[in-house]
Amino acid sequence: MTEIIAIKEAIEYTHERNLRKVKIIADFRSALMSLKSPLVKRQILKHIKESIDDIIELHWVRAHHGQLGNERADELATVKDMIDCPFNRSCVQLRNDAKRSIILKWKER
């Protein structure tokens, strides 16, 4: 999920700065593939797909193959203090919480 947020942040940065032509290069293939999928369930993916316009290109590179920018991004990704993004609970988590709550109330009666 952090990869998806990184893409979202890069797109927002692009729009805030009114940049003309941007290539977002990432080594997380699954995140890029999920954005290309016609069937998107997560809100954040829908938001990203709607935010991508003609000036933004998404590209994949193989991880740990000496790409200077990619290696630097990997270094920064290990600094946990820099990551500050709240996550919403998924539908499955919400459903499971509701089931647990119902079972607890049932047992208490």
Side-chain angles (χ1 to χ4, degrees):
M1 189 56 139
T2 55
E3 294 90 357
I4 295 292
I5 291 174
I7 292 172
K8 177 183 159 289
E9 293 291 323
I11 291 170
E12 287 175 359
Y13 180 89
T14 298
H15 290 300
E16 288 169 3
R17 304 284 187 294
N18 293 321
L19 301 178
R20 292 193 179 145
K21 189 73 174 167
V22 175
K23 291 182 183 180
I24 299 173
I25 301 171
D27 65 1
F28 21 87
R29 182 181 279 178
S30 62
L32 296 173
M33 289 175 66
S34 66
L35 288 169
K36 288 187 177 184
S37 172
L39 186 66
V40 176
K41 294 180 181 179
R42 292 189 171 265
Q43 281 299 114
I44 190 168
L45 292 174
K46 288 179 185 178
H47 174 74
I48 290 171
K49 286 182 85 162
E50 292 167 358
S51 300
I52 295 175
D53 51 24
D54 296 347
I55 64 166
I56 298 172
E57 294 178 20
L58 300 176
H59 296 276
W60 175 77
V61 294
R62 188 175 301 277
H64 309 296
H65 272 72
Q67 296 278 341
L68 185 60
N70 186 49
E71 297 299 328
R72 178 68 178 131
D74 287 343
E75 282 177 32
L76 291 172
T78 62
V79 182
K80 305 276 190 263
D81 295 340
M82 294 180 66
I83 301 170
D84 182 21
C85 184
F87 290 97
N88 292 332
R89 299 180 61 72
S90 71
C91 292
V92 172
Q93 290 170 321
L94 292 171
R95 186 179 66 228
N96 289 338
D97 289 348
K99 283 181 182 180
R100 274 194 294 280
S101 177
I102 290 168
I103 291 169
L104 281 173
K105 287 180 182 180
W106 179 263
K107 288 180 180 179
E108 290 174 356
R109 53 177 205 109

